[in-house]
Amino acid sequence: MELTELHSDSILKAKYNEFGVPDLYAYLPPSNVQICKLASRVLSMFGSTYLCEKLFSLMKATKTPHRSRLPVKHLSPLIKVAAAEDFKPNIDELVTNKRCQVSGQNK
């Protein structure tokens, strides 16, 4: 029943066209609990599978035949850096929080 109600709701259709599937569930009424639970399970399943496959591909690309002797302790940091390619540090915030070290006090 929840699914047929969602299917006939024109406001939710407009939200779907505007935001897409993952963000649509923020606009659902609280009465659609079962649909939200099902959607979160399905979306998390494919996201985690994709990330797992992506990490395996990165590992395979990192550990080529030319680097086959690379130990796991060195492979792990390389995978972490490669997986965090979308990470953008907030340089302005880091600079403002940085405290300067004074080597000595002038009197």
XYZ file of all heavy atoms in Angstrom:
844
model
N 0.815 -1.193 0.000
C 0.000 0.000 0.000
C 0.863 1.264 0.000
O 0.517 2.230 -0.658
C -0.933 -0.005 1.226
C -2.029 -1.068 1.178
S -3.096 -0.889 -0.267
C -3.920 0.621 0.093
N 1.954 1.212 0.768
C 2.830 2.384 0.813
C 3.407 2.683 -0.569
O 3.503 3.841 -0.967
C 3.981 2.163 1.802
C 3.569 2.180 3.245
C 4.744 1.974 4.177
O 5.902 2.115 3.745
O 4.499 1.670 5.356
N 3.741 1.651 -1.276
C 4.322 1.824 -2.604
C 3.324 2.420 -3.588
O 3.679 3.301 -4.383
C 4.855 0.487 -3.123
C 5.678 0.531 -4.386
C 6.880 1.440 -4.209
C 6.125 -0.864 -4.757
N 2.085 2.001 -3.538
C 1.083 2.566 -4.440
C 0.793 4.016 -4.083
O 0.550 4.837 -4.971
C -0.218 1.748 -4.409
O -0.681 1.640 -3.071
C -0.015 0.375 -5.006
N 0.832 4.362 -2.791
C 0.650 5.761 -2.392
C 1.791 6.625 -2.922
O 1.569 7.739 -3.394
C 0.572 5.869 -0.874
C -0.710 5.317 -0.283
C -0.685 5.339 1.240
O 0.180 6.028 1.813
O -1.528 4.673 1.844
N 3.002 6.108 -2.829
C 4.150 6.862 -3.331
C 4.079 7.032 -4.841
O 4.431 8.082 -5.376
C 5.449 6.148 -2.974
C 5.855 6.144 -1.519
C 7.138 5.352 -1.340
C 6.044 7.550 -1.006
N 3.632 6.004 -5.512
C 3.552 6.034 -6.962
C 2.553 7.079 -7.464
O 2.745 7.678 -8.531
C 3.184 4.648 -7.491
C 3.290 4.526 -8.973
N 4.498 4.580 -9.628
C 2.345 4.368 -9.930
C 4.287 4.461 -10.913
N 2.991 4.329 -11.130
N 1.533 7.324 -6.707
C 0.504 8.273 -7.148
C 0.746 9.694 -6.636
O -0.006 10.598 -6.993
C -0.875 7.789 -6.685
O -0.932 7.759 -5.282
N 1.769 9.917 -5.833
C 2.031 11.243 -5.269
C 2.841 12.086 -6.256
O 4.001 11.797 -6.537
C 2.790 11.107 -3.945
C 2.842 12.400 -3.162
O 2.519 13.463 -3.730
O 3.211 12.342 -1.973
N 2.236 13.143 -6.789
C 2.902 13.964 -7.807
C 4.010 14.833 -7.202
O 4.998 15.144 -7.881
C 1.880 14.844 -8.531
O 1.239 15.703 -7.610
N 3.881 15.230 -5.943
C 4.919 16.034 -5.298
C 6.205 15.215 -5.145
O 7.303 15.698 -5.417
C 4.435 16.557 -3.931
C 3.261 17.508 -4.139
C 5.565 17.240 -3.172
C 2.587 17.944 -2.863
N 6.055 13.953 -4.743
C 7.225 13.090 -4.613
C 7.850 12.775 -5.965
O 9.066 12.626 -6.064
C 6.862 11.800 -3.881
C 6.669 11.937 -2.375
C 6.226 10.626 -1.769
C 7.930 12.425 -1.707
N 7.049 12.685 -7.000
C 7.602 12.476 -8.345
C 8.476 13.663 -8.747
O 9.538 13.491 -9.337
C 6.487 12.268 -9.360
C 5.854 10.906 -9.294
C 4.800 10.761 -10.373
C 4.115 9.416 -10.269
N 3.082 9.240 -11.293
N 8.013 14.865 -8.427
C 8.802 16.062 -8.741
C 10.103 16.072 -7.942
O 11.163 16.429 -8.461
C 7.990 17.313 -8.446
N 10.031 15.675 -6.671
C 11.242 15.596 -5.836
C 12.210 14.542 -6.380
O 13.413 14.727 -6.364
C 10.887 15.267 -4.386
C 10.100 16.339 -3.684
C 10.957 17.536 -3.398
C 10.151 18.547 -2.606
N 10.857 19.798 -2.421
N 11.664 13.440 -6.847
C 12.496 12.377 -7.440
C 13.221 12.902 -8.675
O 14.411 12.661 -8.856
C 11.639 11.168 -7.798
C 12.376 10.134 -8.602
C 13.296 9.286 -7.997
C 12.161 10.016 -9.971
C 13.989 8.345 -8.742
C 12.851 9.076 -10.718
C 13.759 8.239 -10.099
O 14.449 7.320 -10.844
N 12.507 13.622 -9.534
C 13.131 14.173 -10.739
C 14.191 15.215 -10.401
O 15.162 15.377 -11.124
C 12.075 14.777 -11.662
C 11.189 13.717 -12.279
O 11.584 12.575 -12.451
N 9.958 14.094 -12.596
N 13.985 15.929 -9.291
C 14.916 16.989 -8.911
C 16.141 16.457 -8.172
O 17.263 16.873 -8.430
C 14.189 18.004 -8.024
C 15.009 19.215 -7.665
C 14.206 20.221 -6.855
O 12.975 20.075 -6.748
O 14.839 21.140 -6.321
N 15.944 15.519 -7.229
C 17.030 15.102 -6.347
C 17.573 13.701 -6.619
O 18.705 13.407 -6.282
C 16.580 15.168 -4.884
C 16.253 16.555 -4.435
C 14.950 16.915 -4.179
C 17.248 17.494 -4.286
C 14.640 18.195 -3.761
C 16.950 18.776 -3.871
C 15.639 19.134 -3.609
N 16.776 12.811 -7.155
C 17.233 11.444 -7.384
C 16.868 10.519 -6.237
O 16.247 10.915 -5.249
N 17.292 9.272 -6.347
C 16.868 8.237 -5.404
C 17.401 8.435 -3.985
O 16.621 8.421 -3.042
C 17.255 6.838 -5.937
C 16.965 5.762 -4.917
C 16.505 6.544 -7.211
N 18.709 8.607 -3.761
C 19.176 8.651 -2.377
C 18.594 9.793 -1.555
O 18.320 9.631 -0.372
C 20.695 8.801 -2.506
C 21.020 8.309 -3.861
C 19.817 8.620 -4.695
N 18.397 10.952 -2.163
C 17.894 12.098 -1.413
C 16.372 12.143 -1.330
O 15.819 12.931 -0.566
C 18.395 13.393 -2.046
C 19.904 13.490 -1.994
O 20.479 12.948 -1.025
O 20.502 14.084 -2.901
N 15.697 11.315 -2.088
C 14.235 11.311 -2.092
C 13.662 10.898 -0.735
O 12.646 11.415 -0.304
C 13.715 10.371 -3.173
C 12.198 10.158 -3.222
C 11.518 11.435 -3.681
C 11.858 9.018 -4.133
N 14.351 10.010 -0.040
C 13.797 9.454 1.196
C 13.754 10.457 2.332
O 13.070 10.247 3.322
C 14.563 8.189 1.571
C 14.358 7.150 0.509
C 15.297 6.938 -0.483
C 13.169 6.439 0.451
C 15.077 6.025 -1.497
C 12.943 5.525 -0.559
C 13.898 5.325 -1.518
O 13.671 4.431 -2.517
N 14.441 11.581 2.210
C 14.335 12.639 3.206
C 12.978 13.348 3.115
O 12.539 13.959 4.084
C 15.461 13.650 3.021
N 12.318 13.244 1.976
C 11.040 13.930 1.758
C 9.832 13.018 1.969
O 8.699 13.461 1.792
C 10.999 14.526 0.349
C 12.056 15.566 0.140
C 13.236 15.256 -0.532
C 11.901 16.848 0.649
C 14.217 16.194 -0.709
C 12.881 17.799 0.476
C 14.037 17.468 -0.191
O 15.020 18.409 -0.364
N 10.054 11.787 2.318
C 8.926 10.876 2.538
C 8.219 11.200 3.842
O 8.856 11.582 4.826
C 9.411 9.430 2.582
C 9.859 8.823 1.259
C 10.354 7.409 1.493
C 8.752 8.828 0.252
N 6.915 11.027 3.880
C 6.189 11.233 5.135
C 6.575 10.166 6.163
O 7.001 9.059 5.801
C 4.715 11.093 4.738
C 4.676 10.788 3.300
C 6.048 10.738 2.763
N 6.468 10.474 7.450
C 6.850 9.516 8.490
C 6.033 8.225 8.478
O 6.443 7.230 9.070
C 6.623 10.266 9.796
C 6.406 11.680 9.448
C 6.065 11.756 8.001
N 4.918 8.212 7.811
C 4.078 7.007 7.780
C 4.656 5.908 6.878
O 4.215 4.773 6.938
C 2.666 7.366 7.309
O 2.721 7.886 5.991
N 5.652 6.221 6.069
C 6.228 5.246 5.138
C 7.483 4.598 5.731
O 8.551 4.623 5.145
C 6.565 5.914 3.812
C 5.339 6.406 3.092
O 4.289 6.547 3.692
N 5.458 6.670 1.823
N 7.352 3.969 6.868
C 8.480 3.383 7.587
C 9.037 2.177 6.834
O 10.258 2.032 6.697
C 8.040 2.979 9.016
C 9.169 2.314 9.751
C 7.537 4.190 9.767
N 8.175 1.319 6.343
C 8.628 0.090 5.679
C 9.403 0.390 4.389
O 10.416 -0.248 4.111
C 7.433 -0.831 5.381
C 6.722 -1.327 6.620
C 7.638 -2.151 7.512
O 8.497 -2.879 7.030
N 7.461 -2.023 8.810
N 8.940 1.371 3.631
C 9.620 1.746 2.395
C 11.013 2.296 2.715
O 11.988 1.980 2.031
C 8.794 2.786 1.600
C 7.508 2.162 1.087
C 9.604 3.396 0.472
C 7.688 1.207 -0.057
N 11.123 3.126 3.759
C 12.419 3.689 4.144
C 13.389 2.600 4.582
O 14.572 2.632 4.230
C 12.250 4.717 5.250
S 11.469 6.237 4.697
N 12.918 1.629 5.338
C 13.775 0.536 5.774
C 14.271 -0.280 4.588
O 15.459 -0.602 4.481
C 13.032 -0.384 6.746
C 12.872 0.183 8.124
C 12.154 -0.824 9.020
C 11.930 -0.264 10.394
N 11.212 -1.215 11.272
N 13.366 -0.603 3.691
C 13.736 -1.377 2.511
C 14.724 -0.613 1.639
O 15.722 -1.162 1.168
C 12.485 -1.742 1.705
C 12.736 -2.496 0.407
C 13.297 -3.881 0.694
C 11.453 -2.603 -0.392
N 14.468 0.666 1.442
C 15.348 1.484 0.598
C 16.738 1.604 1.203
O 17.737 1.520 0.482
C 14.741 2.864 0.401
N 16.824 1.781 2.507
C 18.145 1.907 3.123
C 18.933 0.606 3.011
O 20.142 0.619 2.797
C 18.023 2.333 4.581
O 17.369 1.336 5.336
N 18.262 -0.522 3.120
C 18.956 -1.809 2.954
C 19.462 -1.991 1.532
O 20.595 -2.410 1.319
C 18.017 -2.958 3.317
C 17.755 -3.085 4.788
C 16.847 -4.252 5.074
N 16.448 -4.258 6.462
C 15.310 -4.725 6.907
N 14.432 -5.239 6.063
N 15.030 -4.681 8.185
N 18.635 -1.672 0.574
C 19.020 -1.867 -0.828
C 20.135 -0.899 -1.220
O 21.125 -1.293 -1.842
C 17.796 -1.708 -1.762
C 18.224 -1.670 -3.216
C 16.820 -2.834 -1.528
N 20.009 0.373 -0.831
C 21.030 1.354 -1.202
C 22.370 1.058 -0.539
O 23.420 1.210 -1.157
C 20.563 2.764 -0.836
C 19.458 3.340 -1.713
C 18.971 4.660 -1.151
C 19.951 3.516 -3.129
N 22.362 0.625 0.707
C 23.628 0.322 1.380
C 24.268 -0.933 0.807
O 25.491 -1.048 0.776
C 23.417 0.174 2.881
O 22.604 -0.952 3.159
N 23.464 -1.881 0.344
C 24.009 -3.102 -0.225
C 24.828 -2.803 -1.478
O 25.955 -3.261 -1.620
C 22.871 -4.069 -0.559
C 23.324 -5.348 -1.220
S 21.978 -6.482 -1.545
C 20.945 -5.538 -2.637
N 24.293 -1.988 -2.374
C 25.008 -1.711 -3.612
C 26.178 -0.767 -3.387
O 27.205 -0.883 -4.033
C 24.062 -1.144 -4.671
C 23.093 -2.153 -5.179
C 21.738 -1.998 -4.989
C 23.542 -3.281 -5.833
C 20.847 -2.935 -5.457
C 22.663 -4.229 -6.304
C 21.304 -4.055 -6.112
N 26.042 0.160 -2.465
C 27.150 1.066 -2.175
C 28.337 0.331 -1.613
O 29.482 0.562 -2.015
N 28.116 -0.589 -0.682
C 29.233 -1.312 -0.082
C 29.864 -2.277 -1.088
O 31.071 -2.485 -1.080
C 28.776 -2.056 1.167
O 27.781 -2.997 0.845
N 29.065 -2.876 -1.957
C 29.608 -3.759 -2.985
C 30.474 -2.978 -3.957
O 31.569 -3.414 -4.324
C 28.467 -4.458 -3.750
O 27.648 -5.145 -2.825
C 28.999 -5.432 -4.781
N 30.006 -1.803 -4.335
C 30.772 -0.956 -5.249
C 32.101 -0.558 -4.623
O 33.143 -0.617 -5.266
C 29.961 0.285 -5.626
C 30.784 1.353 -6.291
C 31.207 1.208 -7.609
C 31.170 2.487 -5.596
C 31.982 2.175 -8.220
C 31.946 3.453 -6.197
C 32.345 3.294 -7.504
O 33.114 4.252 -8.103
N 32.065 -0.130 -3.356
C 33.298 0.285 -2.691
C 34.276 -0.874 -2.545
O 35.485 -0.706 -2.701
C 32.981 0.883 -1.318
C 32.255 2.221 -1.339
C 31.898 2.655 0.081
C 33.098 3.281 -2.023
N 33.756 -2.038 -2.256
C 34.614 -3.220 -2.127
C 35.294 -3.528 -3.461
O 36.510 -3.767 -3.503
C 33.780 -4.400 -1.642
S 34.737 -5.870 -1.330
N 34.531 -3.528 -4.535
C 35.097 -3.787 -5.857
C 36.114 -2.716 -6.245
O 37.159 -3.004 -6.830
C 33.994 -3.860 -6.914
C 33.091 -5.063 -6.778
C 33.814 -6.362 -7.069
O 34.745 -6.367 -7.896
O 33.454 -7.378 -6.459
N 35.826 -1.474 -5.888
C 36.739 -0.374 -6.195
C 38.064 -0.564 -5.461
O 39.136 -0.367 -6.034
C 36.104 0.959 -5.798
C 36.955 2.156 -6.112
C 36.246 3.434 -5.714
C 37.146 4.626 -5.931
N 36.521 5.878 -5.519
N 38.005 -0.970 -4.180
C 39.233 -1.179 -3.420
C 40.041 -2.359 -3.962
O 41.268 -2.312 -3.999
C 38.918 -1.367 -1.940
C 38.523 -0.091 -1.209
C 38.149 -0.383 0.229
C 39.649 0.919 -1.255
N 39.368 -3.420 -4.370
C 40.090 -4.542 -4.972
C 40.779 -4.125 -6.265
O 41.914 -4.529 -6.541
C 39.162 -5.730 -5.229
C 38.932 -6.578 -4.022
C 37.650 -6.839 -3.595
C 39.987 -7.126 -3.310
C 37.418 -7.627 -2.483
C 39.777 -7.913 -2.194
C 38.490 -8.157 -1.771
N 40.114 -3.301 -7.060
C 40.737 -2.813 -8.293
C 41.947 -1.937 -7.993
O 42.974 -2.022 -8.669
C 39.722 -2.024 -9.118
O 38.680 -2.851 -9.535
N 41.820 -1.086 -6.969
C 42.948 -0.251 -6.575
C 44.116 -1.095 -6.086
O 45.276 -0.819 -6.394
C 42.520 0.726 -5.479
C 41.661 1.898 -5.905
C 41.126 2.634 -4.689
C 42.453 2.843 -6.777
N 43.810 -2.129 -5.318
C 44.856 -2.990 -4.809
C 45.553 -3.724 -5.957
O 46.779 -3.841 -5.980
C 44.298 -3.995 -3.809
C 45.370 -4.821 -3.126
S 44.748 -5.867 -1.830
C 43.754 -7.017 -2.754
N 44.781 -4.189 -6.905
C 45.354 -4.897 -8.049
C 46.231 -3.963 -8.879
O 47.297 -4.356 -9.351
C 44.234 -5.484 -8.913
C 44.743 -6.344 -10.038
C 43.602 -6.967 -10.803
C 44.136 -7.797 -11.957
N 43.076 -8.376 -12.749
N 45.779 -2.715 -9.040
C 46.576 -1.748 -9.801
C 47.834 -1.349 -9.042
O 48.871 -1.067 -9.656
C 45.734 -0.516 -10.108
N 47.764 -1.324 -7.729
C 48.924 -0.947 -6.916
C 49.948 -2.059 -6.854
O 51.150 -1.825 -6.941
C 48.476 -0.569 -5.497
O 47.528 0.489 -5.582
C 49.644 -0.121 -4.650
N 49.481 -3.272 -6.699
C 50.393 -4.411 -6.571
C 50.552 -5.081 -7.931
O 50.038 -6.155 -8.195
C 49.858 -5.388 -5.532
C 50.901 -6.343 -5.025
C 50.471 -7.020 -3.762
C 51.583 -7.905 -3.277
N 51.331 -8.421 -1.964
N 51.286 -4.427 -8.798
C 51.549 -4.931 -10.146
C 52.679 -5.958 -10.099
O 53.345 -6.103 -9.074
C 51.941 -3.768 -11.071
O 53.142 -3.180 -10.568
C 50.844 -2.726 -11.153
N 52.930 -6.659 -11.197
C 54.051 -7.612 -11.212
C 55.400 -6.965 -10.900
O 56.292 -7.603 -10.362
C 54.029 -8.169 -12.634
C 52.618 -8.034 -13.064
C 52.117 -6.781 -12.408
N 55.521 -5.671 -11.205
C 56.771 -4.978 -10.909
C 56.918 -4.686 -9.416
O 58.011 -4.445 -8.944
C 56.865 -3.675 -11.709
C 56.806 -3.906 -13.170
N 57.831 -4.512 -13.872
C 55.836 -3.645 -14.078
C 57.502 -4.605 -15.147
N 56.289 -4.082 -15.303
N 55.791 -4.674 -8.717
C 55.824 -4.437 -7.271
C 55.240 -5.633 -6.527
O 54.591 -5.479 -5.514
C 55.009 -3.196 -6.931
C 55.585 -1.928 -7.447
C 55.031 -0.787 -6.670
N 53.971 -0.104 -7.395
C 53.314 0.930 -6.909
N 53.580 1.389 -5.738
N 52.371 1.504 -7.609
N 55.465 -6.820 -6.996
C 54.866 -8.005 -6.390
C 55.448 -8.321 -5.028
O 54.837 -9.036 -4.233
C 55.017 -9.214 -7.309
O 56.384 -9.500 -7.490
N 56.610 -7.796 -4.716
C 57.234 -8.067 -3.431
C 56.852 -7.026 -2.385
O 57.428 -6.984 -1.310
C 58.737 -8.120 -3.602
C 59.132 -9.229 -4.598
C 60.581 -9.313 -4.758
N 61.101 -10.110 -3.646
C 62.360 -10.463 -3.523
N 63.233 -10.086 -4.421
N 62.757 -11.167 -2.507
N 55.911 -6.193 -2.694
C 55.466 -5.154 -1.774
C 54.763 -5.795 -0.581
O 53.761 -6.485 -0.755
C 54.504 -4.208 -2.507
C 54.085 -2.931 -1.804
C 55.285 -2.010 -1.632
C 53.026 -2.226 -2.639
N 55.279 -5.609 0.641
C 54.635 -6.237 1.807
C 53.311 -5.561 2.146
O 53.051 -4.420 1.755
C 55.651 -6.048 2.934
C 56.534 -4.944 2.503
C 56.500 -4.907 1.009
N 52.495 -6.267 2.904
C 51.165 -5.774 3.255
C 51.252 -4.491 4.072
O 50.426 -3.599 3.919
C 50.374 -6.864 4.027
C 49.054 -6.337 4.515
C 50.170 -8.070 3.144
N 52.266 -4.364 4.918
C 52.360 -3.156 5.738
C 52.592 -1.907 4.883
O 52.257 -0.806 5.294
C 53.446 -3.303 6.805
C 54.854 -3.306 6.287
C 55.838 -3.413 7.437
C 57.261 -3.295 6.928
N 58.219 -3.345 8.008
N 53.152 -2.060 3.687
C 53.321 -0.930 2.780
C 52.150 -0.799 1.810
O 51.882 0.281 1.304
C 54.619 -1.060 1.982
C 55.848 -1.010 2.825
N 56.188 0.074 3.589
C 56.811 -1.936 3.050
C 57.304 -0.167 4.234
N 57.711 -1.393 3.925
N 51.472 -1.892 1.551
C 50.328 -1.867 0.639
C 49.130 -1.165 1.268
O 48.421 -0.415 0.608
C 49.949 -3.297 0.241
C 48.799 -3.459 -0.735
C 49.153 -2.813 -2.068
C 48.473 -4.923 -0.920
N 48.924 -1.375 2.554
C 47.772 -0.791 3.253
C 47.735 0.735 3.174
O 46.701 1.306 2.828
C 47.758 -1.277 4.697
O 46.676 -0.731 5.385
N 48.834 1.460 3.473
C 48.777 2.927 3.329
C 48.553 3.390 1.898
O 47.883 4.389 1.666
C 50.145 3.393 3.847
C 50.651 2.293 4.685
C 50.083 1.047 4.115
N 49.105 2.653 0.930
C 48.892 3.028 -0.470
C 47.429 2.911 -0.863
O 46.891 3.749 -1.589
C 49.752 2.160 -1.383
C 51.262 2.401 -1.319
C 51.997 1.347 -2.124
C 51.594 3.787 -1.810
N 46.761 1.867 -0.368
C 45.339 1.675 -0.651
C 44.523 2.779 0.008
O 43.580 3.316 -0.578
C 44.877 0.286 -0.178
C 45.593 -0.813 -0.958
C 43.370 0.127 -0.293
C 45.318 -0.811 -2.431
N 44.886 3.152 1.236
C 44.154 4.215 1.937
C 44.259 5.538 1.187
O 43.273 6.266 1.054
C 44.679 4.371 3.358
C 44.271 3.258 4.275
C 44.852 3.443 5.658
C 44.520 2.261 6.539
N 45.158 2.358 7.860
N 45.439 5.860 0.707
C 45.621 7.107 -0.035
C 44.870 7.066 -1.356
O 44.214 8.030 -1.745
C 47.130 7.377 -0.264
C 47.340 8.512 -1.252
C 47.797 7.697 1.054
N 44.917 5.945 -2.039
C 44.222 5.828 -3.322
C 42.710 5.867 -3.146
O 41.999 6.422 -3.980
C 44.635 4.533 -4.019
N 42.202 5.301 -2.053
C 40.759 5.281 -1.822
C 40.239 6.648 -1.400
O 39.065 6.942 -1.558
C 40.414 4.245 -0.764
N 41.105 7.498 -0.877
C 40.690 8.819 -0.402
C 40.936 9.892 -1.451
O 41.219 11.032 -1.125
C 41.424 9.152 0.886
N 40.802 9.560 -2.719
C 41.089 10.516 -3.785
C 40.108 11.678 -3.807
O 40.433 12.763 -4.275
C 41.092 9.819 -5.134
C 39.738 9.275 -5.522
C 39.777 8.473 -6.794
O 40.835 7.998 -7.180
O 38.715 8.333 -7.404
N 38.898 11.490 -3.279
C 37.911 12.562 -3.265
C 38.026 13.438 -2.031
O 37.276 14.382 -1.866
C 36.491 11.978 -3.332
C 36.260 11.238 -4.640
O 36.933 11.559 -5.622
O 35.410 10.337 -4.656
N 38.946 13.120 -1.160
C 39.107 13.856 0.081
C 39.719 15.218 -0.204
O 40.767 15.322 -0.840
C 39.999 13.066 1.045
C 40.249 13.765 2.338
C 39.230 13.905 3.257
C 41.486 14.275 2.635
C 39.451 14.545 4.451
C 41.726 14.917 3.826
C 40.703 15.058 4.743
N 39.061 16.272 0.237
C 39.553 17.629 0.056
C 39.750 18.263 1.436
O 38.787 18.545 2.140
C 38.543 18.466 -0.732
C 38.183 17.894 -2.081
C 39.077 18.458 -3.141
C 38.555 18.111 -4.505
N 39.246 17.132 -5.207
N 40.996 18.471 1.855
C 41.219 19.065 3.171
C 40.820 20.538 3.178
O 40.951 21.248 2.178
C 42.714 18.904 3.395
C 43.292 18.800 2.031
C 42.242 18.149 1.180
N 40.349 20.992 4.311
C 39.977 22.390 4.485
C 41.223 23.129 4.968
O 41.480 23.243 6.165
C 38.825 22.509 5.483
C 38.281 23.910 5.551
O 38.879 24.850 5.045
N 37.134 24.049 6.196
N 41.998 23.647 4.046
C 43.281 24.267 4.350
C 43.105 25.498 5.234
O 43.868 25.714 6.175
C 44.035 24.634 3.051
C 44.263 23.401 2.186
C 45.339 25.342 3.350
C 45.139 22.350 2.801
N 42.081 26.306 4.949
C 41.869 27.522 5.744
C 41.636 27.191 7.215
O 42.189 27.842 8.108
C 40.677 28.313 5.190
C 40.959 28.862 3.801
O 42.152 29.115 3.502
O 40.004 29.020 3.033
N 40.823 26.178 7.486
C 40.554 25.793 8.863
C 41.804 25.222 9.528
O 42.089 25.507 10.693
C 39.429 24.756 8.922
C 39.062 24.355 10.332
C 37.959 23.320 10.370
O 37.328 23.074 9.329
O 37.742 22.757 11.447
N 42.571 24.439 8.795
C 43.808 23.880 9.348
C 44.805 24.974 9.694
O 45.472 24.918 10.731
C 44.429 22.893 8.359
C 43.660 21.597 8.129
C 44.283 20.814 6.987
C 43.643 20.763 9.389
N 44.905 25.993 8.856
C 45.844 27.082 9.106
C 45.406 27.908 10.306
O 46.231 28.290 11.140
C 45.984 27.965 7.843
C 46.733 29.250 8.141
C 46.682 27.188 6.756
N 44.102 28.180 10.421
C 43.641 28.982 11.558
C 43.777 28.239 12.880
O 43.977 28.856 13.919
C 42.178 29.426 11.375
O 41.361 28.277 11.192
C 42.033 30.368 10.208
N 43.701 26.922 12.867
C 43.841 26.141 14.097
C 45.291 25.844 14.449
O 45.578 25.348 15.532
C 43.069 24.825 13.993
C 41.580 25.057 13.962
O 41.097 26.068 14.431
N 40.855 24.117 13.397
N 46.206 26.145 13.550
C 47.621 25.867 13.775
C 48.198 26.895 14.741
O 48.018 28.083 14.569
C 48.375 25.909 12.452
C 49.838 25.679 12.538
C 50.130 24.242 12.789
C 51.641 24.033 12.771
N 52.029 22.853 13.479
N 48.868 26.411 15.743
C 49.522 27.312 16.688
C 50.997 27.399 16.330
O 51.651 26.400 16.105
C 49.371 26.768 18.111
C 47.941 26.837 18.607
C 47.770 26.308 19.977
N 48.886 26.654 20.864
C 49.048 26.126 22.058
N 48.212 25.240 22.519
N 50.065 26.474 22.804
N 51.501 28.590 16.300
C 52.919 28.788 15.990
C 53.761 28.409 17.198
O 53.408 28.710 18.341
C 53.200 30.246 15.616
S 52.333 30.759 14.131
N 54.869 27.769 16.948
C 55.776 27.414 18.024
C 56.838 28.489 18.155
O 57.500 28.852 17.195
C 56.436 26.065 17.746
C 55.449 24.921 17.739
C 56.148 23.590 17.470
O 57.331 23.542 17.223
N 55.384 22.525 17.543
N 56.993 28.981 19.345
C 57.986 30.004 19.610
C 59.209 29.317 20.175
O 59.129 28.596 21.163
C 57.427 31.061 20.583
C 58.455 32.134 20.860
C 56.149 31.652 20.035
N 60.380 29.531 19.563
C 61.590 28.844 19.999
C 62.162 29.429 21.273
O 62.840 28.773 22.032
C 62.644 28.860 18.889
O 62.971 30.202 18.585
N 61.909 30.662 21.533
C 62.406 31.296 22.747
C 61.636 32.571 22.997
O 60.930 33.081 22.136
N 61.718 33.058 24.180
C 60.985 34.281 24.508
C 61.952 35.459 24.517
O 63.038 35.391 25.101
C 60.302 34.168 25.847
C 59.189 33.129 25.859
C 58.459 33.104 27.181
O 58.775 33.857 28.076
N 57.475 32.227 27.289
N 61.582 36.523 23.868
C 62.379 37.753 23.875
C 61.928 38.602 25.054
O 60.754 38.882 25.214
C 62.201 38.508 22.579
C 62.719 37.747 21.391
O 63.639 36.943 21.540
N 62.158 37.998 20.223
N 62.870 39.013 25.857
C 62.518 39.861 27.020
C 63.024 41.245 26.830
O 63.919 41.577 26.210
C 63.090 39.259 28.302
C 62.420 37.949 28.618
C 62.892 37.463 29.945
C 62.241 36.126 30.276
N 62.552 35.610 31.532
